[in-house]
Amino acid sequence: MRLAKFFIVIAMLHLPAAQFASASTLELQRAVSAWIWDDGKLRQTYSVDERKRLATALRDYWKSFADRIPRLLPSEDRWLKGELESESIERVAAAMNRREYALHDTFANADACKVAYGDIISDIGGNPQREALKWARSLNCYKNDVRIELENAGLKKRDSYDDDPFHMHFFSLWTQRIIGPVLGSVLDEPNFR
């Protein structure tokens, strides 16, 4: 099992960047999982190199995720912006319950996460406080109920897990069990682990 995981990671590291763009979120989720699991247990420490590889895998995951979300037409985008800037609470609420808002919000969140992990990569191994702050801010990627937004956008069926293009099984693990050890490794603080 451990040897198979090693060969999967080595193979993924040798894929050209263009292949990551076409990889499914399931494949990219597996790449993320390769860096959060260690011999069947959640990793408790992350070296500088491991953090770089984890952040790169997460950036590639969020890029693929964002690339799969249909963009609004310019006319839909203008309509949505007008509704959200309206002084009518009813119009704003109605717009927020529409497919257009779900697409806009989900794409904006995924794109922001792609950028956030790109920013983390550039700070890994430098100033530990700045790196830790950027990792902590990555929690924003998992705060929204992305599954509900995808359902509202018509991109994910309720109760579907493996039969659609959006895989997000590690989301709750990230917020509950992974970010602490990452921060503890950055700050050399064992109590975070």
Side-chain angles (χ1 to χ4, degrees):
M1 171 77 171
R2 188 173 183 172
L3 188 59
K5 184 169 131 181
F6 171 77
F7 285 117
I8 289 170
V9 170
I10 295 300
M12 293 195 81
L13 291 174
H14 288 90
L15 288 174
Q19 285 184 311
F20 276 120
S22 63
S24 73
T25 54
L26 180 59
E27 292 166 311
L28 293 169
Q29 178 178 280
R30 288 179 180 148
V32 170
S33 293
W35 295 109
I36 62 176
W37 293 97
D38 184 26
D39 201 21
K41 296 178 183 172
L42 285 172
R43 188 179 299 275
Q44 292 300 304
T45 60
Y46 291 84
S47 69
V48 167
D49 185 56
E50 290 166 339
R51 293 193 312 271
K52 283 182 182 177
R53 291 174 189 251
L54 175 62
T56 299
L58 286 160
R59 182 205 54 208
D60 293 342
Y61 170 86
W62 282 109
K63 180 186 182 321
S64 176
F65 198 100
D67 288 348
R68 294 170 197 289
I69 299 168
R71 304 307 184 273
L72 295 178
L73 297 172
S75 59
E76 293 172 317
D77 198 41
R78 281 189 303 275
W79 171 84
L80 181 61
K81 185 176 180 184
E83 294 301 293
L84 294 175
E85 291 176 354
S86 166
E87 292 184 16
S88 166
I89 292 173
E90 292 82 12
R91 284 176 57 189
V92 171
M96 291 178 76
N97 286 315
R98 297 276 305 253
R99 179 179 189 269
E100 292 88 350
Y101 179 79
L103 287 171
H104 170 80
D105 192 53
T106 304
F107 173 76
N109 186 60
D111 194 55
C113 293
K114 173 191 73 176
V115 170
Y117 284 109
D119 288 346
I120 289 171
I121 293 166
S122 67
D123 275 326
I124 292 175
N127 179 312
Q129 288 81 16
R130 184 172 39 240
E131 180 188 345
L133 177 62
K134 289 185 177 185
W135 280 108
R137 286 181 177 163
S138 76
L139 286 167
N140 288 326
C141 296
Y142 312 99
K143 71 175 180 162
N144 296 335
D145 197 335
V146 178
R147 179 176 299 281
I148 290 173
E149 290 290 344
L150 289 171
E151 290 170 1
N152 291 343
L155 300 174
K156 189 165 192 58
K157 298 177 215 156
R158 293 200 188 285
D159 301 322
S160 69
Y161 293 96
D162 293 323
D163 62 345
D164 60 45
F166 298 97
H167 294 270
M168 24 192 190
H169 300 300
F170 66 87
F171 279 26
S172 62
L173 271 179
W174 184 257
T175 60
Q176 296 170 13
R177 305 281 309 277
I178 300 166
I179 192 66
V182 169
L183 290 173
S185 297
V186 171
L187 299 172
D188 197 25
E189 176 58 57
N191 292 333
F192 279 31
R193 299 179 192 141

